[in-house]
Amino acid sequence: MALSSNVIGAINFVAMLLSIPIIGAGIWLATEADNSCLKILQWPVIILGVLILVVALAGFIGGFWRIPWLLIFYLIAMLVLIVLLACLVVLVYMVTIRGSGHPAPSRAYLEYSLDDFSGWLRRRVRSSYKWDRIRSCLSSTSMCAELNQSYRMAQDFFNAHISPLQSGCCKPPTECGYTFVNPTYWISPINTAADMDCLQWSNDQTQLCYSCSSCKAGLLANIKKEWRRADIVLLLTLVPLISVYLVGCCAFRNAKTEELFRKYKQGDPYT
């Protein structure tokens, strides 16, 4: 029993360590400007990581101090958390499977369309109530101002690999035919009927294309890239976490078997 209990404690220490990359992934998402404005994935990831840490700590204590009810709590709670983590990994993969940029003539950066993304993601930005808050958050960042500091000439800007968020929010769509003055100031559109975003564009530095569908699409493209990275971390953590849990289950079963055998040798198998 002592050996099996020590094994359970040791593997739960490993489970505690595995909670760190999960919490780290959530904190990383929270530090990214687009995710801090949208606020969907980071808190579920952080909360799930903290819960895994707490439950693993309970298993660690229950293993080394041989507290059966705490071990049973660990086995049940960790199973639930593993299922939730697996569901989250699958959800993130499914909602980010669609959505990519489209090349524009004589441009190195890509253009983005809202219809290319999953319906689940589109609903997060489609309503005016939600987008007003997100737009206010995005416009308070320096992402567009940074373009003016980096690119002075039109050709330099056209050859730049700017982020999806900058492409969608800081400039008008290429098909509108605006003339470049600087990355956030454009004049004389050729075809304002090409896209509704052509009419939404404003040279007011607080407005720009933050009301455009292309800005929403650029945000989702940025989100997709970051969520995919976080999803890889979650998946790489999920696999060893499942392995650790299975080892813990075997150790717990062996501990119960040893305890029953010990009681049987003492002549009282039912107590």
Side-chain angles (χ1 to χ4, degrees), residues 9-234:
I11 63 174
N12 276 287
F13 179 74
V14 176
M16 290 166 60
L17 295 179
L18 289 173
S19 70
I20 295 175
I22 299 175
I23 298 172
I27 293 174
W28 173 72
L29 287 173
T31 60
E32 296 297 307
D34 47 359
N35 275 283
S36 64
C37 290
L38 193 57
K39 296 180 181 177
I40 298 178
L41 186 63
Q42 59 266 45
W43 284 114
V45 172
I46 291 173
I47 292 171
L48 197 55
V50 170
L51 289 175
I52 290 173
L53 175 62
V54 171
V55 171
L57 179 60
F60 176 78
I61 294 172
F64 276 114
W65 276 270
R66 303 172 196 172
I67 307 174
W69 69 266
L70 203 55
L71 289 175
I72 293 173
F73 165 77
Y74 155 76
L75 291 173
I76 296 173
M78 187 59 78
L79 177 60
V80 172
L81 292 175
I82 287 174
V83 171
L84 289 176
L85 181 59
C87 290
L88 186 61
V89 168
V90 173
L91 173 66
V92 172
Y93 174 77
M94 293 303 296
V95 300
T96 58
I97 199 169
R98 293 177 51 194
S100 58
H102 305 281
S106 305
R107 303 289 192 271
Y109 51 75
L110 302 176
E111 302 280 345
Y112 297 87
S113 173
L114 192 58
D115 291 335
D116 290 339
F117 295 88
S118 68
W120 190 89
L121 279 179
R122 290 201 305 269
R123 286 192 291 274
R124 308 283 81 78
V125 299
R126 180 155 280 171
S127 72
S128 58
Y129 170 75
K130 292 179 181 178
W131 184 250
D132 286 345
R133 177 184 58 80
I134 297 170
R135 179 181 61 187
S136 176
C137 178
L138 291 176
S139 63
S140 66
T141 67
S142 60
M143 63 173 182
C144 293
E146 290 171 358
L147 294 177
N148 291 333
Q149 298 172 3
S150 302
Y151 306 104
R152 302 290 183 181
M153 305 299 293
Q155 199 56 47
D156 291 339
F157 180 69
F158 297 156
N159 291 332
H161 294 278
I162 61 178
S163 72
L165 200 54
Q166 290 173 320
S167 175
C169 305
C170 303
K171 64 167 191 60
T174 301
E175 62 183 343
C176 304
Y178 277 85
T179 300
F180 176 95
V181 176
N182 68 42
T184 61
Y185 196 92
W186 302 68
I187 59 174
S188 307
I190 295 174
N191 185 11
T192 56
D195 193 303
M196 281 298 296
D197 286 353
C198 300
L199 298 175
Q200 297 283 356
W201 168 258
S202 171
N203 284 316
D204 182 339
Q205 297 299 292
T206 63
Q207 300 295 323
L208 299 179
C209 220
Y210 290 118
S211 297
C212 299
S213 292
S214 64
C215 187
K216 298 177 182 180
L219 173 64
L220 295 185
N222 253 43
I223 290 291
K224 172 187 173 180
K225 179 175 64 175
E226 292 163 5
W227 283 18
R228 277 296 180 91
R229 291 175 181 173
D231 203 38
I232 291 173
V233 173
L234 297 182

